[in-house]
Structures are given as structure tokens and as C-alpha cells.
Amino acid sequence: MNELPKEKVRDGEGAVTSTRGACAPQIGMSQSLSELNWIPRPKLLALRRLGIETVEDLLTHFPRRHEDRTEFPRFPREESEIPVCLCGEVIKTSLRRFGGWKKIFEATLQESQANALSEPLVCRWFNLHYVQKMIATGQRIVVFGKPRLRGKRICMDHPEFEVIENDEEISIHFRRITPIYPATEGLSQRVLRSMVYRLLNEVGPAPAGFETLLPRPLMNRDMTRSAAIRAIHFPNDWQERDSAREHLVLSEFFAMQILIASRRTNVSIRIGQAHCGPGALFDKFVKSLPFELTRAQRKVTAEIRRDLAAGHPMNRLLQGDVGSGKTLVAIAAMLLAVEAGYQAAFMAPTQILAEQHYDVLRRWLEALGVRVALRTAARQEQSGPLPLFAGNMEIPGSARVSRGGDGVAPSRTFLEREAAGSARYSRRRLPHFEKPWAIYAVTIRTKSHRYLSPNARTITLDALRHFHKERYELFAACVMPDHAHLLLQPWPKKNDDKRNVIFWPLNELLHSIKSFSAHQINEIEGKTGAVWEKERFDGYARSDRDLEEKFHYILRNPWDSGLARQGEDYPWVWTQDDEYREESSFRRDAETSTRDACATQMSACEEPQIIVGTHALLYESVSFSNLGLVVIDEQHKFGVAQRARLTTREPAPDVLVMTATPIPRTLTMTIYGDLDVSTIDEMPRNRGKIVTAARDDSKLSEVLTFLRTEIERGRQLYVIYPLIDESEKLDVKAATAEYELWQQRLHPFRCELLHGRIAPIEKQQIMERFRRGETNALISTTVLEVGVDVPNASVMLIENAERFGLAQLHQLRGRIGRAEHKSYCILLTSAQAKGVSVKLAVLERTRDGFEVAEADWELRGPGDLLGTAQSGLPALKIGNLKTDADLMRRARAAAISIFEADPRLEWPENQRFRRLIVEQQGRTFSNVS
């Protein structure tokens, strides 16, 4: 790109002319935009809403599309499903009212060089009052949208638009291939485009920090990263735009794949042990089964057996559809490890599923003399180092996290002190974002990335602990060199005259922490001024799992970010266990179930060979004397980061992770690229047929008649709701509100209510009654999504089915059809639901989970399919896992070939890729659930 002339950043306010001269210092990629005096402060705030704070952030804020403004087509005379970019002059505007307060603003456009046959274009905006202030007669505007025929007029409803101004900047916005960016309120396309244009001029042709980090086989001729950045924003032609995009997408994907390849290489060269017995116990188990293994089960069992017998650690993903028999394969793997003299851990994401696995294992394996134990979160034992890794590294223990739900229940510490108070709270007295007894994750950053010395970090940690058990309960804290993370639960501050509890406001608590620490830090460092920026709320814990995710992120931050090496101590991480260790006082939860007690009362000489538990198993004081195999069920509930932690011991245990959510192939190359993959693609023969039907709620009376008929035939029923309690913001049914209604509808049959906020021991009792057939209908939330197995339950009704994703609906449907009975899944949608017929038709058409996964992928794409935070996907700036799958394959092949030839990246031409691994280590896959 040629050197660009001086330009302005214009949008009415804060226009500043460039003053960059030939001798001006070159701008660095990490430089803050606030240091550039030509960007007005209001625009800085808008940029921050887009996550743009540095020069590099702005230059890598890539266009979402481009418009060819070198020439425009004639105005269309017919409607089209393909959006078009048009330019015309506004010849008329009007504002019309309809339905009382509703408004339509119309702008009629005439094309350039119009003739007698030309048709005007009518652009319409509904209830967007700001548009009428921006468009006036006589202006020339560019619009982008789908032309529609409305009567005899060609219209565009809610098109994107931009007013063209004849000024010195017109060459940036017009008569060229023009970039269109993701934008935000207060930051128009014109202003954002001008900023990028000027910044590209000021950074120079080859800025430091934009080095090309692609291997030669992936290079597109001689295009560099710097040239690609310039061309993606302001290409000279479409071919240059496409070449630039390919280069940048390959760079993004190669950075991911080089990290994945390094992980695979590290696993393959590490010292492991064979954990595979001769197979006599396994053969005896298979012969005792009342059915034969399927061909697919035998195939994947052989693959796992080879891995267990190898001298390097197994790291394998087992995927199969709901009900395909994955648990049976996992039991086979654990028996091979037990026969070799090792222990096995079987981890499940929920207590219900862990208890079910325990029942199955105890029923099948006790006859073989295999000792099985159960550990669940209900025990609430305090932990020291993580038991799976205690031999290799010190990691802080876990906070006492207990109940889940929408807003975590009060901590046990507070209940013990205030149980007699019977306090009430008033929601009106709370800030709109605060909930009573909620636990919040908060990040506080230092001002202008100020570095905190070790003494300053100690002061900050002391400040965070200062009000612990006085104004709030602190579960975990971590002080990094330029920010601090904390997980806390505000406590009641006082009662008003009506005995409503007023809780400590978050902003008041955090102000006290920041003031207390800032004063002392400035005093010891001899400085003045602000130490902290405004805090950032990372959200409140919505469930037990969500709470543990936030806890683990804080706990692991120094090691995951690369600040501390594995095995190295980092003294500025704190959990409640540190306090308990100081006091030498450990307490246990008194509400341990009878089943837990029976499962754990084993003498030292009867050490359990298989221990079943939830992911709390990682953080309880469970003694693994000789752990050889870890099996993780429903692995997407745990994620890459936790899987990686399982391999930190020397010698490492073998790891088998399982999922009943089939994974599109592109994702197996990314999120699960560090794993070998086995697939069970065959269902057992004894599964009953499932009929799936979508109905709207106007058919509810007919559905109720059918449900009663099935219950009278002796079958059992699940009724699933998306929410526990009713929401003021969502017009969605909730389990607790509908429960009494179901008792009336199904009288005299017995109904029970199940959801995530019910105490663990009560959940267990409810499920036992349902398994025994004492309960006819279970009114529940998605706590049943995974693993529940009641063969007589053959009917499922899912209310507000439009609120669920395809994969989740398929998982829920998998709770029925687990015996020879014909089963029925009814997807009930609300009358207001629109556009769900295509989604639900997939479930009506097929039971194949792999087909459902591919359809979900097509409908929603990777980001929505799993959710970035849950999936472990890095935030892709330009690549698209769905449409760029071929580029991902090329990047993967290049990364694998590099590590096959040079496992330690020692060759001179490969040493530059080490930087990619270091950069990606703390960023890619870091937000994994």
C-alpha cells in the first residue's frame, strides 16, 4: 500500500489532524491507544467495548466483509435473497406512525444517472429513531441489504447504511473496495475505518511485532504478515483481499495447531508405564454379561488395550452416541488396569451420574472381587494438594463449594453462624446485577499496567483477606503482577426497619479493598497516584460446576499463564484451605449419605481399586496409592485444561475421556487435537424405538391424554423444563412453578420435582424412588441431561423445546428408549416460538447423534454449538472453523510434519515457532470449562 496522506478522524467531535512527521518515533504494537493524542477519549471508551485497547488490537480488528464501491449495480426491479450494495441520492424522507406509538422512517433513493425506466428504492427502518436524525434529503448514501417487493415498490428493510461526504477523506470510504467492521454504539464505520487507515500509515511498512510466523509450505508466494494486515483492510482488488485473508487465517490456525502438536509430542516422549493386565479379569467380565459386545465396542476396546500396554501415557477420546455402550468399554479398560495392579478413577460431571455409575459398577464387579468406592461433592471433605498430582507439584486446595443453582446458596460458614436468624432480603434494596448469597468472580487490573512488586502483591493479598468472614466470604484469590482475581460472596450488612437484609454492595467492598491496598503500596514504593483501575465483573456462579470453573481458573492462573513453572511455588495464590491448614482444623460435612459411608468404609488392607466420583474427586483427600487410569465421562464438562493437569505426574496415568455428544471432524482437529479418537458407531440390538414429535402448546390437551394413557400402561414419564424458577425477563415455563399443576393433571399418579438446587441427599432419594417405580412422573430441569438410566421411563415431554440446542435435546432424549419398550419424545414449543421447525425436524427425522451434531454445526456453527468458554475454543479473529476447514487441515498437516522432523524445534528455521507456543499457552484453550 502506498504511503497515505494526512487524514482526519471525523465524527462531529474531537477531530484531530495527523501531525506525524518523518522523524516521529515508530509506534509499537503493544502501545496503548490512549497514548495516541489524535484518538478522542469518547472513541477510546467505545473501542474498549470492542476489546480494543492497543495498536495491535485495532490493526487486528478485521473487517467482517467488504463492499465494492468502485462501481454500483443498477437498482433492482425484483426481490432477491442475496444482499446487494447500492448507492443513491435521497430524494424524499417521511415518518409514519402505526399501532399507536410505533414509527416507520422511510428514505426514498434514486440511482445515479436515472432515466425514465429507473425504479426508486425505498429504505425502511422500524422504531429506530436515531436513523431519521442521520439521513436527510440530498445526501448520497450507500446501503446494503436484501431488496424485497412490497406491493409495487422495491424496499429494503433495516439496511446497513453509510452517508458519503465529499471531503478530503472520500478516498478512504468511496471508489474503492471498502472494509465493513464489527462496530458498536458511538463508533461509526466511517470513524473506525479512518482510525485504521491512519494507524496503518503511522506504524510504517514493516512494524515490529508483525513478523511472519508461517512455514514456507503455507506461504502464499511472498506475502508477509504486515502486507496481509494492510491488504485485508484496504485491498487493491479482490484477489489481494482473498490472498491476505488466506494468509491471516492460516497464521491463526497454525498457531493453534503448533501448540496442539507440541502437546502431542510432549506426551509421546514422556516416561509412562504399561497399565494393562493379561485380560483374564476382562474376559471373565465379558462372559458374565447377558449380551454380546457390538463390533464397534470390540474395536475400540482393542484400541484402548493397545494404549494401556504401551510405555507412553494414553490420551484418548472415546465418542459414541447416547446409549451406544461407552460405559461398558470404560469398565473393560478399568478392569485391565486393575488386573495389572493399578487403581482407576472414574469421574462423572454430576452427583446423580456418579451415583448411577457406582451402582452399575458395584452390581457388575462385586462378583469379580473388585473393590469399588464412591466420592461425591456431598462429602465436602477439606483437601490438601490435589490427590492425583500430589507426587509432583503443590497446588492450592479447593474452596468449600457446595450447592448449585441460579445464584449459589449461602456458604456453610455463614449458615453455621447465622442459622437462627431467619433473615429475609428485599430484591429492591439490591443493585440490579447483585443477587443475595451469590458468589462473584471479579478481576481488578492495575492502572496503566502498573507492575506490582512482590511486596505489593503481598499487601494486595492481605487486603483481599482483610474483610474475609466479616463483610464477605473469600473462596479464592490470586494476585498477578498487573491484576488480581478474587472469588467472593458478600454477606449481610444490616437489617432495615422491616427486617429486610441489606447486603454489602460489591462496589463498596471493592472500593475498600483497593483503597486499603493502594495506600500501603504507594507508601512502601514512595509513589503517588492511582494503583487500580475500575474492577471487571466476570459474572456470578450460576451452578456448582460454574463455581468450580471460576475457582480453577483463579487457582491455576500463574501456571497457565506461564508466570510460574509447573512444580514451582507461587505464594500469592490463596484459598480457604490455606487458612484451615494454618489453624490445623479440618471439618467435614455432617450430611454424608448412607451410600457414601458404605462406599468409603474400607480398611487400609481393602484399598479400593476403582474410585467413582464427581470432578470434586480431584480436590478431596482421596488416597491414590497407585493410580494407573483416569476415565472422565462427559469430558466436555471438564475441558482441555483439566485433562492437561491429569498428565502432570511422573509416571503419568493413562487418560480416557468419553463424550455422548458426537463431535464434527473439524472440532476434533482443534479442541480435541491433542487426543487420539475412538468412535463407537454402532448401537446395541436391544434398544427400543423412539418416536419424536414436535408440537406447539395448543396441542397440550391431546398430549396430556396420551401421557396419562402411557402411565396407566405402567410406563414412567420425564417432564423437562429449561428453568428452575420463573423469570421476569423470559416468557419461559419453569419446573417449580409448573410442578403443582402436574400433580393436578396426573392425579392420582405420583409426581416428584428434581432440580440442581435440591440437596444432594434428597436428590439421591428422589432418583431412588423413581428407579424403583414408586414415582410415575419426574418434573425436572436439565439436571437429567447426562447419563440417567431408568429402563421403564419411556416417555419424555420437553417444554419450551425452542429454548434448547439440538445437541442438548438429543442428550435429553437419550434418557428414554433404554429398554425394549417403544418410547416417545414430545417437543412442546410455545406459540411465540418462530424459526424452530428446521431444528426440531432434525430430531423428528433421525436418532443418529452424529447426524444431529453435523446438523447443529450447520445451523449454528462452532461458537454457538459449544460456547467459546465451554468448548475451549480460542477467540478466532478471522478464521472460521466451519467454512475454513480445508485451511485448518493444511495448518494441522504442516504443524505435525514440523514436529515429526524436529520434536524440540531445534532447527534454525523452526526456532521462531517456539514463540507461538509460549504466546498461545496462556491464551488458546485457556477458558475451558
Side-chain angles (χ1 to χ4, degrees):
M1 182 182 296
N2 297 326
E3 181 72 12
L4 308 175
K6 295 180 182 178
E7 306 290 355
K8 291 182 181 180
V9 174
R10 295 169 53 104
D11 195 29
E13 55 181 327
V16 181
T17 304
S18 171
T19 58
R20 182 177 185 262
C23 298
Q26 186 167 311
I27 297 174
M29 291 298 102
S30 61
Q31 186 172 339
S32 173
L33 293 176
S34 61
E35 298 175 23
L36 305 179
N37 57 13
W38 50 268
I39 300 182
R41 179 171 175 78
K43 304 308 174 191
L44 288 173
L45 299 176
L47 287 167
R48 282 177 187 165
R49 287 200 298 273
L50 293 171
I52 300 172
E53 297 191 15
T54 67
V55 169
E56 183 177 9
D57 291 340
L58 184 53
L59 294 183
T60 56
H61 185 69
F62 298 122
R64 55 186 170 87
R65 62 181 176 85
H66 292 77
E67 291 179 355
D68 189 347
R69 297 185 180 178
T70 56
E71 57 180 338
F72 295 93
R74 307 288 297 184
F75 281 10
R77 298 187 179 187
E78 297 178 351
E79 65 180 16
S80 169
E81 287 297 320
I82 301 173
V84 293
C85 182
L86 303 172
C87 181
E89 181 183 345
V90 180
I91 59 173
K92 178 184 175 183
T93 63
S94 64
L95 182 66
R96 296 188 292 113
R97 294 180 182 273
F98 69 99
W101 55 272
K102 298 177 182 178
K103 298 178 181 179
I104 298 179
F105 176 71
E106 291 187 352
T108 303
L109 273 60
Q110 186 178 71
E111 61 186 338
S112 301
Q113 300 175 347
N115 55 46
L117 299 178
S118 297
E119 292 284 343
L121 177 71
V122 179
C123 298
R124 309 190 300 180
W125 292 269
F126 300 85
N127 293 316
L128 294 177
H129 310 299
Y130 66 89
V131 175
Q132 68 190 75
K133 300 176 183 178
M134 301 173 68
I135 297 178
T137 303
Q139 289 178 330
R140 187 164 46 153
I141 66 173
V142 175
V143 294
F144 180 81
K146 295 180 181 179
R148 300 293 190 193
L149 191 61
R150 298 290 181 260
K152 295 183 179 181
R153 304 190 303 174
I154 292 292
C155 298
M156 271 191 189
D157 291 338
H158 291 266
E160 297 180 31
F161 72 94
E162 185 177 334
V163 177
I164 301 300
E165 299 181 22
N166 286 311
D167 56 14
E168 65 269 32
E169 287 190 350
I170 192 169
S171 63
I172 303 177
H173 313 289
F174 205 56
R175 303 190 189 100
R176 69 180 314 140
I177 297 174
T178 308
I180 306 297
Y181 296 95
T184 185
E185 183 181 356
L187 196 65
S188 67
Q189 287 292 332
R190 184 181 180 84
V191 171
L192 191 50
R193 195 180 299 125
S194 295
M195 285 181 182
V196 174
Y197 192 88
R198 176 168 177 174
L199 195 55
L200 283 170
N201 255 351
E202 299 205 355
V203 296
F210 270 2
E211 293 82 4
T212 302
L213 290 172
L214 273 181
R216 178 59 59 182
L218 295 182
M219 294 282 286
N220 185 353
R221 297 189 297 275
D222 294 323
M223 178 169 280
T224 63
R225 179 170 175 79
S226 177
I229 292 284
R230 292 173 176 274
I232 197 66
H233 289 292
F234 297 102
N236 292 316
D237 52 50
W238 290 104
Q239 183 179 354
E240 186 179 63
R241 192 284 307 262
D242 293 343
S243 297
R245 186 182 183 279
E246 180 178 302
H247 180 100
L248 295 170
V249 171
L250 282 170
S251 297
E252 197 165 41
F253 286 173
F254 181 72
M256 294 169 57
Q257 292 298 337
I258 203 77
L259 174 62
I260 291 169
S262 73
R263 285 178 176 167
R264 291 181 68 96
T265 301
N266 289 340
V267 170
S268 65
I269 63 177
R270 288 181 57 212
I271 299 172
Q273 289 182 344
H275 301 125
C276 187
L281 195 60
F282 164 69
D283 292 338
K284 189 175 180 181
F285 166 67
V286 172
K287 289 177 182 176
S288 70
L289 295 173
F291 50 83
E292 291 185 359
L293 298 182
T294 64
R295 175 196 56 79
Q297 285 174 319
R298 291 195 298 271
K299 174 177 68 76
V300 299
T301 300
E303 292 171 351
I304 293 168
R305 193 168 186 170
R306 284 196 298 271
D307 282 359
L308 290 172
H312 58 80
M314 175 173 71
N315 208 18
R316 182 168 289 276
L317 167 68
L318 172 62
Q319 64 171 342
D321 207 349
V322 179
S324 61
K326 296 180 299 299
T327 303
L328 200 68
V329 173
I331 292 173
M334 290 188 289
L335 288 176
L336 290 168
V338 166
E339 193 177 5
Y342 295 94
Q343 288 178 302
F346 194 176
M347 296 169 55
T350 66
Q351 178 170 335
I352 290 175
L353 185 54
E355 291 176 351
Q356 179 172 291
H357 283 323
Y358 172 66
D359 278 341
V360 170
L361 265 65
R362 189 174 59 173
R363 187 167 65 247
W364 283 357
L365 302 185
E366 277 185 349
L368 300 177
V370 177
R371 298 181 296 277
V372 184
L374 175 69
R375 302 288 189 273
T376 69
R379 290 189 58 82
Q380 292 299 307
E381 291 188 355
Q382 303 306 321
S383 61
L386 300 187
L388 294 180
F389 329 113
N392 186 51
M393 57 186 283
E394 289 271 331
I395 299 179
S398 81
R400 292 164 295 134
V401 293
S402 55
R403 292 169 284 280
D406 186 14
V408 178
S411 69
R412 185 163 302 283
T413 303
F414 183 77
L415 288 177
E416 290 166 354
R417 294 176 51 179
E418 300 287 343
S422 65
R424 296 178 294 118
Y425 63 86
S426 167
R427 289 188 183 273
R428 292 189 301 274
R429 298 283 183 177
L430 294 170
H432 71 279
F433 55 82
E434 297 190 35
K435 295 195 174 199
W437 300 122
I439 299 178
Y440 295 90
V442 181
T443 299
I444 310 174
R445 297 193 178 277
T446 58
K447 192 76 172 178
S448 302
H449 300 287
R450 176 172 171 176
Y451 178 80
L452 295 177
S453 66
N455 285 341
R457 279 177 253 175
T458 301
I459 289 170
T460 303
L461 190 59
D462 289 342
L464 296 174
R465 297 173 55 190
H466 184 74
F467 298 109
H468 173 51
K469 294 189 178 178
E470 291 183 9
R471 299 183 181 182
Y472 54 75
E473 180 162 7
L474 184 66
F475 288 92
C478 172
V479 184
M480 301 288 280
D482 62 353
H483 64 277
H485 297 292
L486 59 153
L487 194 63
L488 81 164
Q489 179 187 56
W491 278 6
K493 181 178 182 180
K494 61 182 179 181
N495 285 38
D496 63 13
D497 52 1
K498 296 182 180 179
R499 285 184 52 79
N500 288 321
V501 174
I502 309 299
F503 286 77
W504 282 98
L506 278 170
N507 58 356
E508 189 173 332
L509 292 174
L510 296 169
H511 176 75
S512 299
I513 292 168
K514 291 192 290 187
S515 297
F516 183 83
S517 58
H519 176 74
Q520 291 194 345
I521 290 171
N522 281 334
E523 188 173 314
I524 66 162
E525 295 184 349
K527 297 180 181 179
T528 58
V531 175
W532 303 105
E533 288 186 345
K534 185 172 177 59
E535 61 278 354
R536 187 185 78 219
F537 295 96
D538 297 332
Y540 66 90
R542 296 177 178 272
S543 66
D544 199 27
R545 178 161 56 90
D546 188 26
L547 182 55
E548 291 195 17
E549 289 169 11
K550 290 177 168 57
F551 180 89
H552 302 332
Y553 177 79
I554 293 174
L555 186 75
R556 292 292 314 162
N557 199 233
W559 293 275
D560 289 346
S561 66
L563 181 63
R565 296 188 182 91
Q566 294 296 334
E568 180 179 274
D569 184 41
Y570 187 79
W572 299 284
V573 174
W574 181 91
T575 71
Q576 291 187 0
D577 280 352
D578 297 310
E579 181 179 284
Y580 300 144
R581 279 193 285 273
E582 291 170 9
E583 297 171 356
S584 299
S585 174
F586 293 86
R587 291 177 292 169
R588 296 176 178 236
D589 192 329
E591 297 178 358
T592 302
S593 69
T594 304
R595 177 184 302 192
D596 286 345
C598 293
T600 56
Q601 288 175 354
M602 295 182 178
S603 65
C605 63
E606 292 182 320
E607 193 171 54
Q609 294 163 303
I610 298 175
I611 300 181
V612 185
T614 61
H615 50 332
L617 187 70
L618 291 171
Y619 311 105
E620 294 192 10
S621 43
V622 180
S623 175
F624 288 101
S625 60
N626 197 18
L627 184 64
L629 173 65
V630 177
V631 179
I632 305 176
D633 196 9
E634 290 306 315
Q635 58 77 36
H636 62 280
K637 310 287 185 179
F638 299 92
V640 179
Q642 288 177 319
R643 290 203 311 266
R645 292 220 305 266
L646 288 172
T647 63
T648 55
R649 289 179 62 147
E650 294 289 355
D654 287 321
V655 178
L656 175 67
V657 296
M658 305 194 298
T659 179
T661 305
I663 302 158
R665 177 166 171 73
T666 309
L667 289 187
T668 64
M669 294 190 295
T670 52
I671 306 171
Y672 311 108
D674 57 332
L675 303 175
D676 296 310
V677 180
S678 292
T679 302
I680 301 180
D681 53 6
E682 181 182 2
M683 296 292 285
R685 296 177 183 175
N686 63 340
R687 297 297 184 187
K689 181 181 179 182
I690 300 179
V691 177
T692 304
R695 299 287 185 269
D696 63 61
D697 53 12
S698 65
K699 307 287 186 182
L700 182 59
S701 59
E702 298 173 22
V703 170
L704 290 175
T705 302
F706 175 75
L707 297 181
R708 287 191 66 94
T709 302
E710 288 298 303
I711 292 177
E712 287 166 359
R713 292 176 56 199
R715 304 288 171 256
Q716 289 169 278
L717 162 70
Y718 296 114
V719 181
I720 307 298
Y721 286 93
L723 299 179
I724 297 176
D725 297 314
E726 288 182 318
S727 167
E728 296 177 1
K729 297 180 180 180
L730 299 174
D731 185 18
V732 178
K733 296 178 183 178
T736 53
E738 297 282 313
Y739 172 57
E740 291 185 10
L741 195 57
W742 278 104
Q743 288 180 307
Q744 298 170 18
R745 288 168 175 169
L746 299 179
H747 182 78
F749 298 107
R750 180 175 182 175
C751 301
E752 290 207 67
L753 177 66
L754 182 69
H755 56 72
R757 290 210 294 264
I758 292 175
I761 191 169
E762 190 178 346
K763 272 189 211 168
Q764 174 188 320
Q765 293 166 351
I766 292 169
M767 285 306 302
E768 282 297 333
R769 288 192 291 269
F770 191 69
R771 287 190 186 101
R772 291 196 298 265
E774 297 171 14
T775 302
N776 303 99
L778 202 57
I779 317 303
S780 177
T781 60
T782 54
V783 71
L784 288 174
E785 178 186 349
V786 174
V788 173
D789 187 2
V790 180
N792 191 50
S794 62
V795 187
M796 175 172 284
L797 173 66
I798 303 177
E799 293 260 23
N800 289 116
E802 72 276 5
R803 305 291 303 182
F804 299 93
L806 263 180
Q808 192 173 29
L809 289 171
H810 181 65
Q811 283 286 324
L812 288 166
R813 180 173 61 176
R815 300 313 107 219
I816 59 176
R818 305 182 81 84
E820 68 277 3
H821 314 300
K822 188 175 182 179
S823 298
Y824 302 89
C825 179
I826 303 168
L827 308 172
L828 204 63
T829 60
S830 66
Q832 294 78 23
K834 296 179 181 179
V836 297
S837 57
V838 175
K839 177 173 76 173
L840 301 185
V842 174
L843 295 169
E844 290 180 300
R845 184 177 69 246
T846 182
R847 279 185 64 187
D848 187 337
F850 293 91
E851 190 175 338
V852 170
E854 291 295 338
D856 211 10
W857 175 263
E858 289 297 322
L859 287 171
R860 296 197 291 167
D864 289 334
L865 181 65
L866 294 172
T868 299
Q870 283 209 330
S871 70
L873 284 171
L876 296 175
K877 288 199 168 188
I878 191 168
N880 184 301
L881 291 180
K882 183 176 170 183
T883 58
D884 296 322
D886 287 339
L887 297 181
M888 177 65 80
R889 292 187 187 96
R890 287 176 57 192
R892 178 176 173 81
I896 290 174
S897 65
I898 286 171
F899 272 93
E900 284 178 348
D902 184 16
R904 299 187 182 277
L905 299 182
E906 294 173 332
W907 295 359
E909 64 270 28
N910 292 336
Q911 289 181 10
R912 57 196 173 118
F913 300 137
R914 292 179 179 178
R915 170 186 151 189
L916 283 177
I917 296 172
V918 172
E919 284 181 353
Q920 295 293 318
Q921 199 76 45
R923 225 174 351 182
T924 306
F925 311 120
S926 61
N927 299 322
V928 184
S929 69

